[in-house]
Amino acid sequence: MRLIIAVTAVLFAAQAAFAAPLKEHFAVETNYNGQRSKVSVHTVFPDIGLDKYPVMFIVHGSGGQSHSRELWYAQKLAELGVWSVITDHFRYRGVESTAYDQAAVSTDNMVYDAFKVLDRIAENPKVDMSRVGIMGFSKGGSTSLHAAIPSVIKQYSENGHRFALHIPLYPGCTNQYFDTNAPAPIYMLLGGKDDYADPNVCLSYAKKFEAKGSKIKTIVYPEGLHAWDSTKEEVIYDRRIQNYAKCVMEQQADGSWKESLTGLTVMSAGMGLNPRANIPANMGRAMGACRTYGAHYGGNADVKYDALWDIKKIVETEFGLAQ
C-alpha cells in the first residue's frame, strides 16, 4: 500500500552543493529478539550545501517500499533542504508484504530497526541530531508514533538518541501505550474515510497524549481513504487484509496490556509489545473477537497534495526552515 554497499566515506562526506538530489544505499545490521537481520537504507540528499542537515526518516507500510510514495516524499523534502533516510524493513527478511500476516514483521520490530539506523546516522557529523524526524505510512505511521513513547525510547535507543519530530500518516493507533508524555512533537495525518486505520481511534489516543502534556496535533482529511497517496486513484477493496481497527489494546499502569473489546489481559507486564510476552489463550480469544478481514484503500490526488503541503509546513516550522 503505498544495493547494499558498505558504509563508506562517500555516505558521510556531504558535498558543498549538488546539481540534483543524490541517492546513496547502505545496510544496517539489527538483532531484534535474537533474530539477526539487516535494514536496507536509501538516502536522498538535498541539492543545497549546508553545514548540518535536518533529516527525515521515511518508513513504508505493510505493502513494503514504493518509489512512488517514499521516494516521492523524499524528493519533495529535498526541496526544503532536508536529507531523507528511507528504510526498508522487509527486503532482507524475505518479506514482500505483511498485509495478510502482520506478524511477519511486527511494528515493534520496525521501531527497533529505526533506532538502530538512527544510531548509524548519528555517526555522521553533517547530521543535525536536534532535527531528525520520522514519518511513515500505515504500519510505518505506527512505527513513527511508537517511536515517540518514552518507554520505547528507553528500551530501544541504545545510545540515547531519539527523534525530534513524528509525522504518522494514516497510522494504526490500536496499540495505546500508558506513558504518552512524548518528548517531541507529533502530527497525526488521518483519513476521514479510513476503515483500516480508524481515525476515531487515533483521535481518542491523541487525547491521552494531550492529557500528559505532549505536543500533538491531528489533521483529518474528510475524503481520505487508507493510502490516499497511492498513485492508483480508485477505491479498492481487499477482503483478505487482516483488519485490526477494532482491536484496541491499552497498556495499563503496571505495564500489562488489555484488549478493550473483551477486557482480557493479552500481554504480561514489563515487555512492551514483545510477542514473547503474549498470553496465548487470551490473545487468541481477543483477536478472535475483534479482528476482522477486509479494508478499502485508494489514492486521492487532492488529499495527497493537501497532506504534502501540511507536511512541508510542519517540517519548516519544527525544523526552523521557514523563509
Side-chain angles (χ1 to χ4, degrees):
M1 295 202 22
R2 61 177 143 16
L3 299 116
I4 284 188
I5 63 173
V7 179
T8 66
V10 173
L11 171 67
F12 294 121
Q15 301 175 25
F18 306 114
L22 298 180
K23 297 179 281 292
E24 191 63 75
H25 301 79
F26 63 100
V28 173
E29 292 189 359
T30 69
N31 188 17
Y32 178 75
N33 280 347
Q35 299 176 350
R36 298 181 65 84
S37 187
K38 294 178 182 179
V39 182
S40 178
V41 183
H42 177 176
T43 66
V44 178
F45 300 90
D47 60 357
I48 59 174
L50 299 172
D51 291 335
K52 283 186 175 289
Y53 289 85
V55 174
M56 182 63 72
F57 278 49
I58 302 178
V59 186
H60 64 76
S62 298
Q65 192 175 105
S66 166
H67 283 183
S68 63
R69 177 176 290 121
E70 287 78 28
L71 184 57
W72 183 79
Y73 280 100
Q75 291 170 334
K76 296 300 182 183
L77 290 173
E79 297 171 1
L80 303 179
V82 175
W83 179 352
S84 290
V85 174
I86 305 172
T87 53
D88 185 344
H89 304 263
F90 292 175
R91 178 179 178 183
Y92 292 104
R93 295 182 170 100
V95 174
E96 293 185 1
S97 170
T98 61
Y100 306 141
D101 180 10
Q102 292 295 343
V105 179
S106 71
T107 301
D108 219 29
N109 201 154
M110 293 171 65
V111 176
Y112 174 83
D113 290 350
F115 279 106
K116 293 296 288 185
V117 177
L118 182 62
D119 284 345
R120 177 60 63 82
I121 292 298
E123 298 173 9
N124 188 336
K126 299 297 290 186
V127 170
D128 183 349
M129 288 300 291
S130 69
R131 295 188 296 170
V132 179
I134 180 169
M135 61 181 283
F137 317 95
S138 191
K139 190 167 189 165
S142 300
T143 299
S144 170
L145 188 56
H146 291 352
I149 300 296
S151 60
V152 173
I153 297 169
K154 182 178 180 180
Q155 182 179 7
Y156 291 149
S157 181
E158 297 175 1
N159 295 308
H161 300 129
R162 64 175 177 83
F163 294 97
L165 175 63
H166 304 259
I167 309 178
L169 284 77
Y170 43 92
C173 296
T174 53
N175 293 332
Q176 302 189 357
Y177 282 86
F178 180 78
D179 56 327
T180 50
N181 51 321
I186 302 169
Y187 293 82
M188 284 201 282
L189 279 55
L190 312 172
K193 294 184 176 180
D194 195 334
D195 62 0
Y196 186 45
D198 188 343
N200 293 313
V201 175
C202 289
L203 292 172
S204 175
Y205 193 25
K207 292 180 181 179
K208 296 180 180 180
F209 283 92
E210 290 175 346
K212 293 194 176 179
S214 298
K215 180 179 179 180
I216 186 167
K217 181 177 180 179
T218 56
I219 303 174
V220 180
Y221 305 98
E223 297 302 313
L225 288 167
H226 202 73
W228 65 62
D229 42 15
S230 170
T231 55
K232 293 183 178 180
E233 291 197 49
E234 58 180 311
V235 178
I236 299 171
Y237 179 75
D238 189 334
R239 61 183 178 82
R240 298 171 296 168
I241 289 176
Q242 292 181 339
N243 193 326
Y244 293 92
K246 299 182 184 300
C247 300
V248 179
M249 294 195 291
E250 297 176 301
Q251 189 181 37
Q252 308 302 301
D254 66 356
S256 63
W257 291 78
K258 285 188 177 181
E259 194 281 314
S260 62
L261 186 65
T262 61
L264 292 170
T265 298
V266 295
M267 293 187 187
S268 57
M271 296 186 72
L273 287 171
N274 190 322
R276 293 188 297 185
N278 288 359
I279 301 172
N282 286 359
M283 179 64 80
R285 288 174 58 194
M287 292 300 100
C290 68
R291 181 180 58 206
T292 60
Y293 289 87
H296 297 83
Y297 62 92
N300 182 312
D302 290 338
V303 175
K304 176 179 180 177
Y305 282 95
D306 284 348
L308 175 64
W309 188 90
D310 287 330
I311 291 167
K312 283 189 168 184
K313 290 300 179 183
I314 291 165
V315 171
E316 287 177 339
T317 300
E318 294 295 342
F319 283 173
L321 303 176
Q323 301 297 319

